[in-house]
Amino acid sequence: EFTAGNGCGIKFSAEIIIPAEGEFEFHLFVAGSYASAESCQETYRSLEHDHERMLSDKQSAYDNVARRAQLTIEGEAVFNDIFTWVKWNNQWLIQQVDGIGRGLTAGGPTYPWWFGCDNTYSLQGVLAIGDHRLAKETLDLLLRKSEEVNGNGRFIHEATTMGAVSNPGNTQETAHYIAFVWDLFLWTGDEALLRRHYDYCVKGIDWLLGEMDPDGDLFPSGYGIIEIAGLNMELIDSAVYTAKALQAMTEMSRWLQDEEGHHRYSLLAKRSAAAINERFWMESEGLFADAVAPKKEIEPKLDYMTALAQEQGITGYREYLTGLLDDVEDEAEDRGWLLNKNWVIVTPMETGIADPAKAQLALDHMRNDTFIGEYGTYLSGIYQQGTMTISTGVHAVAEAASGNPDAALDLLERMFRSFSYVLP
């Protein structure tokens, strides 16, 4: 099988007769190289001669992973088993490529690349289970690629294992990266790493509140976590993580004795959080909005968004959107919209940006079958066609952070139902 590039596929076949009750042990070695035939042969010989030692080393490494950050809860055998396996699953997602680096990828075999958004979530768990080296190396890899491709503070969305960057970064990712840098420092205490990332974080805030926020309302525009064509406006996740980034910059600048920066970021963080609670909150729904935009910006997207819904078999979406538009008289006034009831409306509660009373009310209004299905939180309450551990996990964190542990546990137990569907 010849590929579009310079590679090719290979197949091994053999006929073996094994007697009843018999056993047959075999070893199959596959080697390759992007450098030379000699390098390929060297790798092959290494596998052939040292495979038993390599297997023993790998078993020891996995034993160490199991022992690190052990969690045993009495009477929760399933919980304990899943926690152990998830730590091992993480190891399978690590890719190390000469000349690029080592880091946690999104998922094998379909997404064996390094993602900005995914890692700002995943590495929080990696820190909690004690693999600080992996968290540092992954973030450093993404920073190097961001500096190389963007250089202006924008944090990349995706880098392939060939070193290509196919998407320079969605708005939310830059904000979430900045917030995560401070989390990484709190876990590791690595001041050299903090200083290494701080300069790019400064650029990132300037990009978010400059180029991406032309109206100066502290809500950067552009695509966020939900990559639906047409949803490139002032989105709740980008706004929330920008507020969280400003809080992180307040702490980073104080630690690094950047007094001018500390004063600026402190004021912006307070303004940003207050603006989210005012502009994104929808009192009539008891929920935070997906997006803030004037009616005149939504109307041109009506046909396109309806077509996307119809492609997914969603009926009545045009009528739903038309009803929202008909209720608004002022064409130019910014207001909140529940366009798809996307899961990211839980981010104000996850981050603690939401006022406590609003947080409890919103979570109460999301604890139903509009937002939650058998396997967890839907990506969209309107579509109800997909559930991910990212949506369910953030929702669970939001419930826990707001003092609702039973609701958080319910979401985790729903997530457990998909355990072992893809990875053991």
Side-chain angles (χ1 to χ4, degrees), residues 306-317:
T306 299
L308 287 177
Q310 289 174 340
E311 286 176 9
Q312 300 300 318
I314 306 299
T315 59
Y317 187 66

Side-chain angles (χ1 to χ4, degrees), residues 107-225:
T110 317
Y111 297 103
W113 309 298
W114 303 289
F115 284 79
C117 175
D118 302 53
N119 274 307
T120 46
Y121 283 116
S122 300
L123 293 179
Q124 295 179 53
V126 169
L127 286 172
I129 59 172
D131 196 346
H132 296 176
R133 175 195 165 202
L134 176 60
K136 292 178 185 181
E137 290 180 339
T138 303
L139 205 65
D140 277 344
L141 186 158
L142 292 166
L143 174 60
R144 287 194 301 272
K145 279 294 170 185
S146 298
E147 290 173 325
E148 174 188 316
V149 173
N150 296 323
N152 62 347
R154 187 178 187 177
F155 198 64
I156 64 166
H157 174 68
E158 172 186 6
T160 75
T161 45
M162 296 293 285
V165 173
S166 57
N167 179 341
N170 299 326
T171 304
Q172 164 270 338
E173 286 167 296
T174 295
H176 209 173
Y177 153 73
I178 295 168
F180 178 73
V181 168
W182 181 242
D183 284 341
L184 181 61
F185 175 68
L186 291 178
W187 279 96
T188 65
D190 189 335
E191 187 171 313
L193 179 138
L194 180 65
R195 291 184 182 278
R196 162 86 175 94
H197 285 267
Y198 184 69
D199 289 344
Y200 205 74
C201 290
V202 170
K203 290 182 179 180
I205 291 292
D206 291 344
W207 179 74
L208 287 167
L209 299 184
E211 179 181 339
M212 302 309 292
D213 185 27
D215 61 1
D217 61 0
L218 302 181
F219 304 151
S221 300
Y223 286 104
I225 300 170

Side-chain angles (χ1 to χ4, degrees), residues 52 96 149 157 184 241 253 365 387:
E52 291 182 354
Q96 181 168 331
V149 173
H157 174 68
L184 181 61
Y241 287 125
S253 57
H365 286 174
T387 303

